[in-house]
PDB file of all heavy atoms in Angstrom:
ATOM      1  N   ILE A 803      88.091-100.492 215.293  1.00 98.00           N
ATOM      2  CA  ILE A 803      87.630-101.849 214.986  1.00 98.00           C
ATOM      3  C   ILE A 803      88.739-102.893 215.044  1.00 98.00           C
ATOM      4  O   ILE A 803      88.537-103.975 215.623  1.00 98.00           O
ATOM      5  CB  ILE A 803      86.908-101.866 213.625  1.00 98.00           C
ATOM      6  CG1 ILE A 803      85.597-101.084 213.719  1.00 98.00           C
ATOM      7  CG2 ILE A 803      86.622-103.308 213.174  1.00 98.00           C
ATOM      8  CD1 ILE A 803      84.906-100.871 212.385  1.00 98.00           C
ATOM      9  N   PRO A 804      89.933-102.653 214.481  1.00 98.00           N
ATOM     10  CA  PRO A 804      90.974-103.684 214.552  1.00 98.00           C
ATOM     11  C   PRO A 804      91.365-104.045 215.984  1.00 98.00           C
ATOM     12  O   PRO A 804      91.748-105.195 216.250  1.00 98.00           O
ATOM     13  CB  PRO A 804      92.146-103.058 213.793  1.00 98.00           C
ATOM     14  CG  PRO A 804      91.523-102.063 212.877  1.00 98.00           C
ATOM     15  CD  PRO A 804      90.353-101.517 213.641  1.00 98.00           C
ATOM     16  N   VAL A 805      91.271-103.091 216.894  1.00 98.00           N
ATOM     17  CA  VAL A 805      91.601-103.376 218.292  1.00 98.00           C
ATOM     18  C   VAL A 805      90.552-104.312 218.889  1.00 98.00           C
ATOM     19  O   VAL A 805      90.880-105.278 219.593  1.00 98.00           O
ATOM     20  CB  VAL A 805      91.704-102.070 219.105  1.00 98.00           C
ATOM     21  CG1 VAL A 805      92.009-102.372 220.572  1.00 98.00           C
ATOM     22  CG2 VAL A 805      92.774-101.160 218.518  1.00 98.00           C
ATOM     23  N   ILE A 806      89.279-104.018 218.617  1.00 98.00           N
ATOM     24  CA  ILE A 806      88.214-104.902 219.095  1.00 98.00           C
ATOM     25  C   ILE A 806      88.390-106.292 218.494  1.00 98.00           C
ATOM     26  O   ILE A 806      88.300-107.315 219.191  1.00 98.00           O
ATOM     27  CB  ILE A 806      86.837-104.323 218.741  1.00 98.00           C
ATOM     28  CG1 ILE A 806      86.604-103.000 219.484  1.00 98.00           C
ATOM     29  CG2 ILE A 806      85.724-105.316 219.070  1.00 98.00           C
ATOM     30  CD1 ILE A 806      85.323-102.283 219.097  1.00 98.00           C
ATOM     31  N   ALA A 807      88.658-106.357 217.188  1.00 98.00           N
ATOM     32  CA  ALA A 807      88.804-107.645 216.507  1.00 98.00           C
ATOM     33  C   ALA A 807      89.963-108.452 217.083  1.00 98.00           C
ATOM     34  O   ALA A 807      89.855-109.679 217.244  1.00 98.00           O
ATOM     35  CB  ALA A 807      88.996-107.423 215.009  1.00 98.00           C
ATOM     36  N   ALA A 808      91.058-107.779 217.396  1.00 98.00           N
ATOM     37  CA  ALA A 808      92.233-108.482 217.922  1.00 98.00           C
ATOM     38  C   ALA A 808      92.017-109.000 219.333  1.00 98.00           C
ATOM     39  O   ALA A 808      92.761-109.873 219.797  1.00 98.00           O
ATOM     40  CB  ALA A 808      93.448-107.558 217.885  1.00 98.00           C
ATOM     41  N   SER A 809      91.009-108.479 220.026  1.00 97.00           N
ATOM     42  CA  SER A 809      90.735-108.938 221.388  1.00 97.00           C
ATOM     43  C   SER A 809      89.794-110.140 221.410  1.00 97.00           C
ATOM     44  O   SER A 809      89.509-110.679 222.472  1.00 97.00           O
ATOM     45  CB  SER A 809      90.138-107.798 222.219  1.00 97.00           C
ATOM     46  OG  SER A 809      88.822-107.501 221.794  1.00 97.00           O
ATOM     47  N   GLN A 810      89.330-110.560 220.237  1.00 97.00           N
ATOM     48  CA  GLN A 810      88.379-111.673 220.142  1.00 97.00           C
ATOM     49  C   GLN A 810      89.124-112.999 220.046  1.00 97.00           C
ATOM     50  O   GLN A 810      90.127-113.114 219.341  1.00 97.00           O
ATOM     51  CB  GLN A 810      87.481-111.493 218.917  1.00 97.00           C
ATOM     52  CG  GLN A 810      86.366-112.519 218.793  1.00 97.00           C
ATOM     53  CD  GLN A 810      85.431-112.195 217.633  1.00 97.00           C
ATOM     54  OE1 GLN A 810      85.868-111.756 216.569  1.00 97.00           O
ATOM     55  NE2 GLN A 810      84.139-112.405 217.828  1.00 97.00           N
ATOM     56  N   ARG A 811      88.629-114.002 220.775  1.00 95.00           N
ATOM     57  CA  ARG A 811      89.213-115.326 220.685  1.00 95.00           C
ATOM     58  C   ARG A 811      88.902-115.959 219.327  1.00 95.00           C
ATOM     59  O   ARG A 811      87.941-115.565 218.654  1.00 95.00           O
ATOM     60  CB  ARG A 811      88.662-116.230 221.787  1.00 95.00           C
ATOM     61  CG  ARG A 811      89.429-116.155 223.068  1.00 95.00           C
ATOM     62  CD  ARG A 811      89.047-117.176 224.105  1.00 95.00           C
ATOM     63  NE  ARG A 811      87.799-117.919 223.938  1.00 95.00           N
ATOM     64  CZ  ARG A 811      87.093-118.398 224.952  1.00 95.00           C
ATOM     65  NH1 ARG A 811      87.504-118.191 226.193  1.00 95.00           N
ATOM     66  NH2 ARG A 811      85.990-119.077 224.741  1.00 95.00           N
ATOM     67  N   ALA A 812      89.661-116.956 218.966  1.00 95.00           N
ATOM     68  CA  ALA A 812      89.467-117.614 217.675  1.00 95.00           C
ATOM     69  C   ALA A 812      88.089-118.246 217.558  1.00 95.00           C
ATOM     70  O   ALA A 812      87.537-118.338 216.455  1.00 95.00           O
ATOM     71  CB  ALA A 812      90.556-118.666 217.460  1.00 95.00           C
ATOM     72  N   ASP A 813      87.512-118.674 218.695  1.00 95.00           N
ATOM     73  CA  ASP A 813      86.196-119.305 218.649  1.00 95.00           C
ATOM     74  C   ASP A 813      85.053-118.302 218.640  1.00 95.00           C
ATOM     75  O   ASP A 813      83.881-118.682 218.620  1.00 95.00           O
ATOM     76  CB  ASP A 813      86.026-120.285 219.804  1.00 95.00           C
ATOM     77  CG  ASP A 813      86.042-119.603 221.175  1.00 95.00           C
ATOM     78  OD1 ASP A 813      86.277-118.376 221.238  1.00 95.00           O
ATOM     79  OD2 ASP A 813      85.831-120.306 222.194  1.00 95.00           O
ATOM     80  N   GLY A 814      85.374-116.994 218.667  1.00 96.00           N
ATOM     81  CA  GLY A 814      84.359-115.949 218.592  1.00 96.00           C
ATOM     82  C   GLY A 814      84.021-115.301 219.913  1.00 96.00           C
ATOM     83  O   GLY A 814      83.392-114.241 219.945  1.00 96.00           O
ATOM     84  N   TYR A 815      84.430-115.916 221.036  1.00 95.00           N
ATOM     85  CA  TYR A 815      84.128-115.347 222.348  1.00 95.00           C
ATOM     86  C   TYR A 815      84.881-114.028 222.513  1.00 95.00           C
ATOM     87  O   TYR A 815      86.060-113.917 222.173  1.00 95.00           O
ATOM     88  CB  TYR A 815      84.542-116.326 223.441  1.00 95.00           C
ATOM     89  CG  TYR A 815      84.316-115.800 224.851  1.00 95.00           C
ATOM     90  CD1 TYR A 815      83.064-115.865 225.445  1.00 95.00           C
ATOM     91  CD2 TYR A 815      85.369-115.245 225.582  1.00 95.00           C
ATOM     92  CE1 TYR A 815      82.853-115.396 226.731  1.00 95.00           C
ATOM     93  CE2 TYR A 815      85.170-114.775 226.874  1.00 95.00           C
ATOM     94  CZ  TYR A 815      83.917-114.850 227.434  1.00 95.00           C
ATOM     95  OH  TYR A 815      83.719-114.381 228.710  1.00 95.00           O
ATOM     96  N   ILE A 816      84.190-113.014 223.049  1.00 96.00           N
ATOM     97  CA  ILE A 816      84.822-111.720 223.285  1.00 96.00           C
ATOM     98  C   ILE A 816      84.201-111.071 224.514  1.00 96.00           C
ATOM     99  O   ILE A 816      83.008-110.767 224.537  1.00 96.00           O
ATOM    100  CB  ILE A 816      84.716-110.804 222.032  1.00 96.00           C
ATOM    101  CG1 ILE A 816      85.339-109.428 222.307  1.00 96.00           C
ATOM    102  CG2 ILE A 816      83.279-110.694 221.525  1.00 96.00           C
ATOM    103  CD1 ILE A 816      85.486-108.574 221.053  1.00 96.00           C
ATOM    104  N   HIS A 817      85.031-110.923 225.530  1.00 95.00           N
ATOM    105  CA  HIS A 817      84.624-110.285 226.785  1.00 95.00           C
ATOM    106  C   HIS A 817      85.920-109.982 227.527  1.00 95.00           C
ATOM    107  O   HIS A 817      86.587-110.893 228.027  1.00 95.00           O
ATOM    108  CB  HIS A 817      83.726-111.219 227.593  1.00 95.00           C
ATOM    109  CG  HIS A 817      83.265-110.657 228.910  1.00 95.00           C
ATOM    110  ND1 HIS A 817      82.484-109.532 229.008  1.00 95.00           N
ATOM    111  CD2 HIS A 817      83.477-111.075 230.183  1.00 95.00           C
ATOM    112  CE1 HIS A 817      82.222-109.283 230.281  1.00 95.00           C
ATOM    113  NE2 HIS A 817      82.821-110.201 231.010  1.00 95.00           N
ATOM    114  N   THR A 818      86.320-108.726 227.567  1.00 95.00           N
ATOM    115  CA  THR A 818      87.686-108.397 227.980  1.00 95.00           C
ATOM    116  C   THR A 818      88.042-108.842 229.402  1.00 95.00           C
ATOM    117  O   THR A 818      89.194-109.240 229.625  1.00 95.00           O
ATOM    118  CB  THR A 818      87.971-106.892 227.807  1.00 95.00           C
ATOM    119  OG1 THR A 818      87.076-106.128 228.629  1.00 95.00           O
ATOM    120  CG2 THR A 818      87.822-106.473 226.348  1.00 95.00           C
ATOM    121  N   PRO A 819      87.128-108.820 230.396  1.00 93.00           N
ATOM    122  CA  PRO A 819      87.559-109.272 231.724  1.00 93.00           C
ATOM    123  C   PRO A 819      88.047-110.716 231.719  1.00 93.00           C
ATOM    124  O   PRO A 819      89.065-111.042 232.342  1.00 93.00           O
ATOM    125  CB  PRO A 819      86.289-109.116 232.577  1.00 93.00           C
ATOM    126  CG  PRO A 819      85.468-108.096 231.875  1.00 93.00           C
ATOM    127  CD  PRO A 819      85.748-108.304 230.422  1.00 93.00           C
ATOM    128  N   VAL A 820      87.333-111.595 231.014  1.00 92.00           N
ATOM    129  CA  VAL A 820      87.714-113.008 230.961  1.00 92.00           C
ATOM    130  C   VAL A 820      88.955-113.205 230.100  1.00 92.00           C
ATOM    131  O   VAL A 820      89.882-113.926 230.468  1.00 92.00           O
ATOM    132  CB  VAL A 820      86.538-113.856 230.441  1.00 92.00           C
ATOM    133  CG1 VAL A 820      86.988-115.272 230.106  1.00 92.00           C
ATOM    134  CG2 VAL A 820      85.418-113.887 231.470  1.00 92.00           C
ATOM    135  N   ILE A 821      88.991-112.563 228.936  1.00 93.00           N
ATOM    136  CA  ILE A 821      90.107-112.762 228.014  1.00 93.00           C
ATOM    137  C   ILE A 821      91.420-112.281 228.619  1.00 93.00           C
ATOM    138  O   ILE A 821      92.464-112.929 228.479  1.00 93.00           O
ATOM    139  CB  ILE A 821      89.813-112.063 226.671  1.00 93.00           C
ATOM    140  CG1 ILE A 821      88.691-112.804 225.945  1.00 93.00           C
ATOM    141  CG2 ILE A 821      91.056-112.001 225.800  1.00 93.00           C
ATOM    142  CD1 ILE A 821      88.198-112.136 224.696  1.00 93.00           C
ATOM    143  N   ILE A 822      91.391-111.171 229.312  1.00 92.00           N
ATOM    144  CA  ILE A 822      92.619-110.663 229.941  1.00 92.00           C
ATOM    145  C   ILE A 822      93.139-111.656 230.972  1.00 92.00           C
ATOM    146  O   ILE A 822      94.339-111.946 231.034  1.00 92.00           O
ATOM    147  CB  ILE A 822      92.365-109.278 230.568  1.00 92.00           C
ATOM    148  CG1 ILE A 822      92.181-108.225 229.470  1.00 92.00           C
ATOM    149  CG2 ILE A 822      93.505-108.881 231.505  1.00 92.00           C
ATOM    150  CD1 ILE A 822      91.724-106.874 229.972  1.00 92.00           C
ATOM    151  N   GLU A 823      92.235-112.210 231.771  1.00 89.00           N
ATOM    152  CA  GLU A 823      92.663-113.180 232.785  1.00 89.00           C
ATOM    153  C   GLU A 823      93.132-114.481 232.133  1.00 89.00           C
ATOM    154  O   GLU A 823      94.099-115.098 232.590  1.00 89.00           O
ATOM    155  CB  GLU A 823      91.516-113.463 233.760  1.00 89.00           C
ATOM    156  CG  GLU A 823      91.163-112.287 234.655  1.00 89.00           C
ATOM    157  CD  GLU A 823      92.363-111.797 235.457  1.00 89.00           C
ATOM    158  OE1 GLU A 823      93.032-112.645 236.092  1.00 89.00           O
ATOM    159  OE2 GLU A 823      92.635-110.594 235.430  1.00 89.00           O
ATOM    160  N   GLN A 824      92.477-114.909 231.080  1.00 87.00           N
ATOM    161  CA  GLN A 824      92.891-116.133 230.406  1.00 87.00           C
ATOM    162  C   GLN A 824      94.266-115.984 229.772  1.00 87.00           C
ATOM    163  O   GLN A 824      95.053-116.929 229.743  1.00 87.00           O
ATOM    164  CB  GLN A 824      91.853-116.524 229.349  1.00 87.00           C
ATOM    165  CG  GLN A 824      90.557-117.067 229.942  1.00 87.00           C
ATOM    166  CD  GLN A 824      89.536-117.431 228.888  1.00 87.00           C
ATOM    167  OE1 GLN A 824      89.623-116.986 227.748  1.00 87.00           O
ATOM    168  NE2 GLN A 824      88.547-118.240 229.262  1.00 87.00           N
ATOM    169  N   LYS A 825      94.562-114.783 229.258  1.00 83.00           N
ATOM    170  CA  LYS A 825      95.885-114.563 228.670  1.00 83.00           C
ATOM    171  C   LYS A 825      96.984-114.616 229.716  1.00 83.00           C
ATOM    172  O   LYS A 825      98.133-114.934 229.416  1.00 83.00           O
ATOM    173  CB  LYS A 825      95.919-113.227 227.925  1.00 83.00           C
ATOM    174  CG  LYS A 825      95.146-113.257 226.612  1.00 83.00           C
ATOM    175  CD  LYS A 825      95.501-112.097 225.717  1.00 83.00           C
ATOM    176  CE  LYS A 825      94.883-112.308 224.345  1.00 83.00           C
ATOM    177  NZ  LYS A 825      95.306-111.292 223.367  1.00 83.00           N
ATOM    178  N   LYS A 826      96.602-114.307 230.937  1.00 81.00           N
ATOM    179  CA  LYS A 826      97.577-114.408 232.039  1.00 81.00           C
ATOM    180  C   LYS A 826      97.656-115.835 232.564  1.00 81.00           C
ATOM    181  O   LYS A 826      98.445-116.119 233.465  1.00 81.00           O
ATOM    182  CB  LYS A 826      97.170-113.460 233.169  1.00 81.00           C
ATOM    183  CG  LYS A 826      97.320-111.990 232.796  1.00 81.00           C
ATOM    184  CD  LYS A 826      96.535-111.091 233.726  1.00 81.00           C
ATOM    185  CE  LYS A 826      96.903-111.303 235.182  1.00 81.00           C
ATOM    186  NZ  LYS A 826      96.112-110.407 236.071  1.00 81.00           N
ATOM    187  N   GLN A 827      96.804-116.727 232.008  1.00 75.00           N
ATOM    188  CA  GLN A 827      96.771-118.138 232.393  1.00 75.00           C
ATOM    189  C   GLN A 827      96.509-118.300 233.878  1.00 75.00           C
ATOM    190  O   GLN A 827      97.139-119.112 234.557  1.00 75.00           O
ATOM    191  CB  GLN A 827      98.079-118.841 231.996  1.00 75.00           C
ATOM    192  CG  GLN A 827      98.293-118.871 230.500  1.00 75.00           C
ATOM    193  CD  GLN A 827      99.541-119.627 230.112  1.00 75.00           C
ATOM    194  OE1 GLN A 827     100.420-119.882 230.931  1.00 75.00           O
ATOM    195  NE2 GLN A 827      99.623-119.996 228.841  1.00 75.00           N
ATOM    196  N   GLU A 828      95.586-117.514 234.377  1.00 59.00           N
ATOM    197  CA  GLU A 828      95.196-117.624 235.772  1.00 59.00           C
ATOM    198  C   GLU A 828      93.868-118.361 235.869  1.00 59.00           C
ATOM    199  O   GLU A 828      92.983-118.187 235.043  1.00 59.00           O
ATOM    200  CB  GLU A 828      95.070-116.247 236.420  1.00 59.00           C
ATOM    201  CG  GLU A 828      96.397-115.519 236.543  1.00 59.00           C
ATOM    202  CD  GLU A 828      96.260-114.217 237.307  1.00 59.00           C
ATOM    203  OE1 GLU A 828      95.146-113.926 237.784  1.00 59.00           O
ATOM    204  OE2 GLU A 828      97.255-113.490 237.411  1.00 59.00           O
ATOM    205  N   ALA A 829      93.730-119.178 236.866  1.00 53.00           N
ATOM    206  CA  ALA A 829      92.505-119.943 237.057  1.00 53.00           C
ATOM    207  C   ALA A 829      91.384-119.037 237.555  1.00 53.00           C
ATOM    208  O   ALA A 829      91.622-117.965 238.090  1.00 53.00           O
ATOM    209  CB  ALA A 829      92.744-121.077 238.048  1.00 53.00           C
ATOM    210  N   GLY A 830      90.161-119.511 237.380  1.00 51.00           N
ATOM    211  CA  GLY A 830      89.027-118.821 237.987  1.00 51.00           C
ATOM    212  C   GLY A 830      88.278-117.897 237.063  1.00 51.00           C
ATOM    213  O   GLY A 830      87.289-117.319 237.446  1.00 51.00           O
TER     214      GLY A 830
END
C-alpha cells in the first residue's frame, strides 16, 4: 500500500504510465 500511495499525485490522480512520464518532464 505505501508504494501505491507514494505513486499518487497530490491532487489524487494515479495512473503509472502518465505519472512516470510526467516525472521525466516529457511532453505528450
Side-chain angles (χ1 to χ4, degrees):
I803 292 172
V805 178
I806 295 174
S809 70
Q810 186 174 39
R811 272 189 346 209
D813 65 355
Y815 178 82
I816 178 170
H817 179 62
T818 61
V820 168
I821 290 173
I822 289 171
E823 291 303 310
Q824 287 179 341
K825 287 196 171 186
K826 291 162 55 180
Q827 296 183 343
E828 293 185 3

